[in-house]
Amino acid sequence: MRFFLDTADLNEIRFFSEAGLIDGITTNASIIAKSGQDIIDTISDISKMVNGPISAEVTASDFQTQIREAEKLASISPNITIKVPLTPDGLRTCKHMSDNGTMVNATLCFSVSQALLAAKAGATFVSPFIGRVEDNGGNGVGLIRDIVETFRNYPDIHTSVLASSIRCVDHVVGAAKAGADVATVPPKILHEMFKHPLTDQGIKLFSLDWEKSKQSIL
Ligand code: E4P
């Protein structure tokens, strides 16, 4: 499974990138706005730090303006992935950009039917939102499983299922078990994925025994 980091925090991106734990980045309008950073500068900085796909989202709702935004964002670096909303105009932009060789992430996916349309429009990734489905009483991981199983019926579908809106470690594990190709994980959750009380306990015990041994490796 590939992990993307769902953030515009450059320090977190550097840390996880240097640890070899992430394969790409996703941002959205809210993430960029919250960071207080300029979108073009931020996407450009990230593209120098991470080789994999970097999702940058268009903000317009109409096709013509989306294309202008998408072309500006795509010109930053070849690994920029244009994120479009799963609307008729968004998928028209998806088709146009993917036909021109740019990766596209169809975002705000909440149903199998939307995922099928994204695949038809040539999306590189489709992003079903686990957390927001659950916020509305649905089964987020179930949606991932349904999309993965549906796509498996059609070997000509090459769109990757990118599990998004991840709010806890169980969402990551659930998405992996359901067969998602990628999970985009907020830094806080990726840090939590390391944690296990027996790991901490084991480190303490090894450390105490090592002190008693009076040895040093260096
Ligand atoms: C990523 O591509 C999505 O924009 C993000 O995961 C949304 O997460 P949220 O529902 O927690 O805002």
Side-chain angles (χ1 to χ4, degrees):
M1 186 185 218
R2 283 185 286 168
F3 290 137
F4 291 175
L5 202 59
D6 200 19
T7 190
D9 183 326
L10 300 179
N11 290 327
E12 295 283 17
I13 291 170
R14 187 173 297 107
F15 172 80
F16 283 112
S17 179
E18 287 176 1
L21 293 173
I22 52 169
D23 307 287
I25 302 294
T26 52
T27 64
N28 60 34
S30 304
I31 287 171
I32 295 288
K34 198 173 149 201
S35 75
Q37 299 157 182
D38 174 80
I39 182 167
I40 302 298
D41 292 346
T42 303
I43 298 298
S44 172
D45 288 346
I46 295 172
S47 71
K48 289 173 195 135
M49 295 161 68
V50 177
N51 287 326
I54 296 158
S55 286
E57 187 165 1
V58 296
T59 56
S61 54
D62 67 286
F63 170 69
Q64 298 293 348
T65 318
Q66 282 182 358
I67 289 294
R68 285 175 49 222
E69 291 179 344
E71 284 174 350
K72 182 166 180 183
L73 292 167
S75 72
I76 295 172
S77 168
N79 57 336
I80 301 304
T81 300
I82 299 302
K83 213 175 184 192
V84 296
L86 228 155
T87 61
D89 283 60
L91 289 193
R92 200 174 155 202
T93 300
C94 172
K95 168 82 177 140
H96 178 91
M97 296 306 291
S98 52
D99 280 354
N100 289 340
T102 299
M103 291 184 285
V104 178
N105 176 357
T107 191
L108 291 167
C109 174
F110 295 93
S111 69
V112 176
S113 65
Q114 289 180 317
L116 284 167
L117 291 175
K120 194 79 179 165
T124 318
F125 304 98
V126 63
S127 292
F129 275 41
I130 297 177
R132 293 195 201 186
V133 166
E134 293 189 354
D135 290 344
N136 288 278
N139 181 346
V141 169
L143 173 62
I144 301 286
R145 188 177 306 107
D146 286 348
I147 295 171
V148 167
E149 284 176 5
T150 305
F151 279 11
R152 278 198 193 124
N153 291 333
Y154 300 97
D156 57 322
I157 290 183
H158 301 297
T159 302
S160 296
V161 179
L162 200 177
S164 303
S165 188
I166 282 177
R167 308 272 174 77
C168 58
V169 173
D170 280 352
H171 283 166
V172 181
V173 176
K177 285 181 173 172
D181 302 285
V182 195
T184 188
V185 188
K188 179 177 171 286
I189 307 299
L190 204 45
H191 283 293
E192 282 176 19
M193 286 174 68
F194 285 100
K195 291 182 189 160
H196 196 286
L198 292 180
T199 305
D200 296 339
Q201 195 185 72
I203 289 169
K204 267 188 202 150
L205 286 173
F206 285 147
S207 176
L208 284 171
D209 286 342
W210 191 241
E211 272 173 36
K212 282 183 217 153
S213 82
K214 309 284 183 208
Q215 293 190 57
S216 164
I217 295 171
L218 299 175

